[in-house]
Amino acid sequence: MEKNQEEEQLRRLELLGQEILKIARNELYLKMRYLDVALSSLRFQMDGEIGSIGTDGQMLYFHPGWLGGTYRTDRRGVNRAYLHVVLHCLFGHLFLKGSAMKCSGIWPVILRWSR
């Protein structure tokens, strides 16, 4: 029974984090409609192993504690972090622990289109 409660809490944390990121994406979209495809290209995934947020070009990974705390204290900070990640993807600056990652997913298409 305790395991079910823990799984339910993790599911709720992930849903809450995804909702926060959707709000950030929508607020950015209202200000920067020209980034609509880029802003909506990343799927959201909770990851307790990272310090804040990050991406591999397909997923936007978030730490629930960082995301919730930042949203609570400075909503614009979440928007800035989201935009920062998207701009890294647009400019092909995808890195994983110091080594360059292969650009995958929709980003090669966006990068070819933007040049």
Side-chain angles (χ1 to χ4, degrees), residues 37-51:
V37 174
L39 290 170
S40 62
S41 294
L42 295 171
R43 294 183 316 264
F44 309 130
Q45 176 70 46
M46 185 172 74
D47 184 352
E49 301 288 317
I50 63 173

Side-chain angles (χ1 to χ4, degrees), residues 5-95:
Q5 287 179 332
E6 186 176 319
E7 288 175 3
E8 179 65 19
Q9 287 178 337
L10 287 174
R11 188 184 69 75
R12 285 184 180 190
L13 272 177
E14 181 152 23
L15 290 175
L16 182 59
Q18 290 174 354
E19 189 62 30
I20 289 171
L21 290 170
K22 286 177 187 176
I23 290 168
R25 180 188 62 206
N26 293 342
E27 288 177 1
L28 289 169
Y29 174 75
L30 290 175
K31 300 283 186 191
M32 299 177 226
R33 292 183 190 268
Y34 49 89
L35 290 177
D36 61 343
V37 174
L39 290 170
S40 62
S41 294
L42 295 171
R43 294 183 316 264
F44 309 130
Q45 176 70 46
M46 185 172 74
D47 184 352
E49 301 288 317
I50 63 173
S52 55
I53 64 172
T55 188
D56 60 4
Q58 295 180 347
M59 303 292 290
L60 193 150
Y61 300 99
F62 64 92
H63 187 283
W66 178 87
L67 185 61
T70 303
Y71 186 76
R72 193 176 321 109
T73 59
D74 180 19
R75 287 181 59 172
R76 291 187 315 185
V78 175
N79 294 7
R80 289 179 183 141
Y82 192 117
L83 181 61
H84 182 97
V85 167
V86 168
L87 291 175
H88 267 279
C89 291
L90 283 173
F91 291 113
H93 298 163
L94 298 175
F95 300 96

